[in-house]
Amino acid sequence: GPAVRGAVSFRGLDFSYPDAGRPARPVLRGIDLDVPAGETLGVVGKVGSGKSTLVQLVAAVYPVPDGTIRIDGHDLNGIPTGHLRSHIAVVPQETFLFSETIAENIALGAPGAPRDRIEAVARVAQITRDLDDLPRGLDTLVGERGVTLSGGQRQRVALARALLLDPRILILDDALSSIDADTEEAILAGLKEFMRRRTTFVVSHRVSAVMGADRIVVLDDGRVAEHGTAAELLARGGLFARMHRQQQIERELEAL
């Protein structure tokens, strides 16, 4: 298939999870959204607002009606799944690591990757922040026979793994949820350069994770409630501004 540039558009997308028996409640309703190639889109909203579902549909995890999602103008349903998946990397909230070294876990999808590339993505994902805990650095074994990584360390390995695939579309699906605010900031700063030429979806329940995005969409009960830059949404004083204020207060209380 043709090379994927990474423009994604949603047109009148309604989605319910296939549910045997009872009529399914729609998870997404009437989503109309254009994400130009190379843009970073923040996706925020309360738990259950449809954030994860929206981005998983881009990776063709579930079937969608014809014409509701297009990539570079092509109907998602007409793109061979293998071709699509070779251009999209999803970093999930929960990650599976194998009982191998950290470096081998990073290179899972790109087994022939040169060591310097593995080290470069490990740096961007801030894995090296905790190297004191890792007796053999990136060659530390994890799992049953090695060290047990924290949730935040596992998420950073998963992020490095996705970066190594060099995708056109990068999806962070609440992928920084177990990472403290300072490390999150360092990761997002390092990702800036990486994301510049790619389409990136940053899904988060934390507003801080999307402040640097080109644009932000706020989902509420499966619909687009607000849509704009961080500055526009803060000025509007709606849902995003309320979330932002509430989370700032929570962070100040934690700091005490």
Side-chain angles (χ1 to χ4, degrees), residues 20-160:
R22 57 171 199 266
R25 197 179 143 274
V27 183
L28 295 171
R29 291 182 282 189
I31 303 288
D32 285 309
L33 196 59
D34 282 302
V35 187
E39 179 172 275
T40 296
L41 181 75
V43 184
V44 294
K46 296 194 288 280
V47 174
S49 58
K51 306 186 295 291
S52 276
T53 305
L54 181 71
V55 295
Q56 284 173 359
L57 293 179
V58 175
V61 177
Y62 300 99
V64 295
D66 284 348
T68 53
I69 300 181
R70 291 181 182 277
I71 295 189
D72 300 334
H74 304 288
D75 191 334
L76 182 73
N77 294 341
I79 304 172
T81 310
H83 178 63
L84 185 69
R85 297 232 170 112
S86 67
H87 292 281
I88 297 182
V90 181
V91 187
Q93 194 173 356
E94 288 297 326
T95 304
F96 187 75
L97 298 186
F98 294 92
S99 296
E100 292 177 357
T101 67
I102 290 173
E104 286 167 328
N105 269 291
I106 292 173
L108 181 69
R115 178 72 182 203
D116 58 340
R117 290 254 354 261
I118 294 173
E119 287 170 359
V121 295
R123 274 196 299 279
V124 174
Q126 297 287 320
I127 291 170
T128 36
R129 251 185 191 231
D130 302 334
L131 277 184
D132 311 343
D133 304 349
L134 308 172
R136 303 193 52 200
L138 295 179
D139 298 312
T140 304
L141 272 171
V142 298
E144 293 98 274
R145 296 164 308 155
V147 298
T148 306
L149 297 188
S150 69
Q153 286 170 324
R154 283 203 307 275
Q155 287 188 330
R156 282 177 275 163
V157 171
L159 175 60

